[in-house]
Amino acid sequence: MMEDDYKPLLSSGPTGESFSHRGSTDSLDNRAKRPFHVEPRNIVDDDPQERVSAEAAILNSRVHYYSKLTGSSDRLLSPPNHVIPRAEEIYIYSPLGSAFKVTGSDQLTKNPSIITIFAIWNTMMGTSILSIPWGIKQAGFTLGILILIFTGLLMLYCCYIVLKSPKAIPYVDTSDWEFPDVCRYYFGKFGQWSSLVFSMVSLIGAMVVYWVLMSNFLYNTGQFIYNYAHHVNMSHPQFGTNGTDREFRLLFPQLTGVLTLAFFIHNCIITLMKNNKHQENNVRDLSVAYLLVGMTYLYVGVLIFAAFPAPPLDKDCIEPNFLDNFPSDDVMVFVARTFLLFQMITVYPLLGYLVRVQMMGQIFGNHYPSFFHVLALNCMIVGAGVLMAKFYPNIGSIIRFSGATCGLALVFVFPSLVHMISLRRQGTLRWPSALFHSFLILLGLANMVAQFFM
């Protein structure tokens, strides 16, 4: 058999990736990548020897002809509607002449809205929740609540821009694109590499926070075991009582930095939403997920802040990791630290894998260039965590700096610029929209600069 007989009928681009390797027909463009249509009487069930008719073969040749005209990423020369079947009439054609109907089993891998919402909720909830009470204390009770709500709404809007950004690009198949690909489309190599750098800031910052917390939890777990082994009662930490419970405080930018990372999911929201069964509900599901995350942060932050004992202790005694306010011999805190330690030990290697894949893939074009490359990268990441745990174990400050840094690019600047450029190319950019998105960019810059002065 000739070599061309083994080639896929429709390729996805320069790599020639076939339809069968896509994994899901729903991610394909309906007009650019559907296989040809075969009459029902020609469908093979269990007999692979049954052949398709000449009519089906001609229809296949037509689609093959269109695919030869141009790459499948160009929609201008994609097969017309009268050649493309409906979604429920998609079949896979074998070079041997057999046709197999797509049974729709791919739909079973799609998640309903409730699963998508909980996936976003679970992904967004991280170590930042341990610093929310401290952030509210830094901003003041009333101002802290207002900032949490306002920041959550801004982050939701910017996430919405990121989610719809690939679909706003005309004449290009963006079904497999992530936001760094969108940045590369609009800003070239600068957008690609800068988005990678800021994505690394968020991931490595999270790994450093994890290392500091793992060290803290492991130390306090050892203290708990030592106390009970020697029947020694640890005394509660001694705090000063000179602080106040002011409603508004000038240190509020520290809370905005923490919240930027707490609400950050922009670098993976497109991937999460691709698995949603009902794509028309993406905006609603994203909004519900952000609502749940915001309510969780409000519940934890307000409850701990309001219930913190005073007197004799003052609200200013709330630590960046609120678990540090409890003694090491507290049984419930010991259980919480133990479970959190286990959870972080399992997640830490995954974060390291994401860093390696993104960084090595962009720099060397290979996720695993060599053992020594990976070893050097891991040593640098672990070394950064060890140094921070030794000399600056303040997770609140680490979170706010990394959150403000990655949020500057991936939350405020790039999404706003992409949205304005897209509207301008469509001829629909108006001055209120340009003014608002320019305000978002300045807000991100102010948030970043303020972290160095607070």
Side-chain angles (χ1 to χ4, degrees):
M1 189 174 293
M2 298 182 63
E3 181 180 357
D4 289 341
D5 291 337
Y6 296 97
K7 294 183 179 179
L9 300 180
L10 291 176
S11 62
S12 62
T15 59
E17 184 181 1
S18 67
F19 168 80
S20 60
H21 292 103
R22 281 296 188 182
S24 173
T25 58
D26 298 308
S27 63
L28 304 177
D29 182 86
N30 287 336
R31 293 196 54 199
K33 294 189 175 181
R34 288 186 195 161
F36 70 99
H37 175 261
V38 182
E39 291 296 327
R41 65 176 181 273
N42 298 313
I43 301 306
V44 174
D45 294 323
D46 297 325
D47 185 8
Q49 301 301 322
E50 185 176 350
R51 314 291 288 186
V52 298
S53 65
E55 178 185 359
I58 293 174
L59 189 57
N60 163 51
S61 299
R62 291 179 181 176
V63 179
H64 202 161
Y65 169 74
Y66 282 107
S67 68
K68 290 293 186 181
L69 291 177
T70 184
S72 61
S73 61
D74 191 343
R75 299 180 181 178
L76 290 177
L77 296 177
S78 60
N81 285 332
H82 69 274
V83 176
I84 304 299
R86 294 190 299 272
E88 63 272 13
E89 297 176 336
I90 295 179
Y91 304 91
I92 299 176
Y93 176 72
S94 167
L96 299 176
S98 302
F100 299 88
K101 180 168 181 167
V102 178
T103 61
S105 59
D106 297 325
Q107 284 287 343
L108 299 178
T109 63
K110 296 290 185 177
N111 298 324
S113 293
I114 187 65
I115 300 299
T116 302
I117 292 172
F118 274 86
I120 298 174
W121 187 12
N122 180 66
T123 304
M124 209 181 305
M125 298 296 299
T127 56
S128 301
I129 196 171
L130 299 176
S131 297
I132 294 296
W134 171 79
I136 292 180
K137 182 258 294 186
Q138 298 297 88
F141 185 69
T142 302
L143 183 59
I145 294 177
L146 295 177
I147 289 178
L148 195 152
I149 297 174
F150 178 71
T151 304
L153 292 175
L154 285 183
M155 297 287 287
L156 170 61
Y157 176 73
C158 294
C159 195
Y160 162 73
I161 294 178
V162 172
L163 180 62
K164 74 172 188 177
S165 60
K167 300 179 181 178
I169 300 177
Y171 311 126
V172 178
D173 177 24
T174 60
S175 59
D176 288 337
W177 282 26
E178 300 293 342
F179 191 62
D181 299 311
V182 177
C183 294
R184 182 180 62 227
Y185 174 83
Y186 284 103
F187 309 112
K189 289 292 184 180
F190 170 78
Q192 176 186 1
W193 288 104
S194 58
S195 62
L196 174 66
V197 169
F198 287 104
S199 180
M200 290 298 100
V201 169
S202 64
L203 289 173
I204 296 178
M207 294 185 71
V208 170
V209 172
Y210 270 46
W211 190 275
V212 174
L213 287 174
M214 286 189 296
S215 302
N216 178 282
F217 294 160
L218 187 60
Y219 171 79
N220 283 280
T221 301
Q223 287 287 92
F224 177 87
I225 296 174
Y226 175 82
N227 294 335
Y228 273 79
H230 294 78
H231 304 284
V232 176
N233 292 323
M234 293 289 293
S235 61
H236 287 257
Q238 298 297 319
F239 301 101
T241 59
N242 295 325
T244 60
D245 299 341
R246 287 173 292 178
E247 301 294 315
F248 302 89
R249 304 185 69 178
L250 295 179
L251 296 177
F252 67 89
Q254 296 186 0
L255 175 60
T256 62
V258 171
L259 292 175
T260 305
L261 191 62
F263 285 108
F264 182 74
I265 199 175
H266 301 62
N267 59 344
C268 60
I269 188 60
I270 297 177
T271 302
L272 290 174
M273 283 302 187
K274 281 180 181 178
N275 294 322
N276 198 10
K277 181 181 295 185
H278 303 286
Q279 293 292 305
E280 67 276 9
N281 296 333
N282 279 352
V283 176
R284 182 201 67 184
D285 296 345
L286 179 65
S287 302
V288 173
Y290 260 86
L291 175 63
L292 292 174
V293 173
M295 291 176 62
T296 305
Y297 287 149
L298 274 175
Y299 174 78
V300 173
V302 171
L303 181 65
I304 293 177
F305 183 89
F308 193 80
L313 303 180
D314 193 84
K315 305 294 187 184
D316 277 342
C317 300
I318 298 178
E319 295 290 329
N321 174 8
F322 74 84
L323 291 179
D324 289 342
N325 286 110
F326 299 91
S328 298
D329 61 349
D330 189 290
V331 177
M332 297 304 298
V333 176
F334 164 75
V335 174
R337 284 173 174 152
T338 301
F339 280 105
L340 285 173
L341 176 62
F342 176 77
Q343 185 258 350
M344 292 178 183
I345 289 176
T346 58
V347 174
Y348 188 85
L350 176 60
L351 294 176
Y353 170 76
L354 294 176
V355 171
R356 174 171 64 83
V357 167
Q358 293 189 22
M359 183 176 294
M360 297 297 184
Q362 291 291 334
I363 297 177
F364 300 103
N366 188 347
H367 297 166
Y368 197 96
S370 73
F371 170 79
F372 295 101
H373 286 83
V374 177
L375 178 63
L377 177 62
N378 291 338
C379 288
M380 288 189 294
I381 295 174
V382 173
V386 172
L387 291 176
M388 294 300 290
K390 174 65 176 178
F391 298 105
Y392 194 72
N394 188 327
I395 66 167
S397 295
I398 300 173
I399 289 174
R400 67 185 179 94
F401 275 106
S402 58
T405 302
C406 70
L408 172 64
L410 300 180
V411 175
F412 296 106
V413 176
F414 280 155
S416 297
L417 290 178
V418 164
H419 187 66
M420 287 192 291
I421 294 175
S422 176
L423 292 180
R424 182 179 180 182
R425 290 182 178 181
Q426 298 173 14
T428 58
L429 179 63
R430 301 294 182 264
W431 71 265
S433 178
L435 186 63
F436 175 71
H437 291 91
S438 300
F439 166 75
L440 288 180
I441 295 175
L442 294 177
L443 191 63
L445 289 171
N447 184 37
M448 176 65 186
V449 173
Q451 306 306 318
F452 295 95
F453 296 96
M454 295 296 175

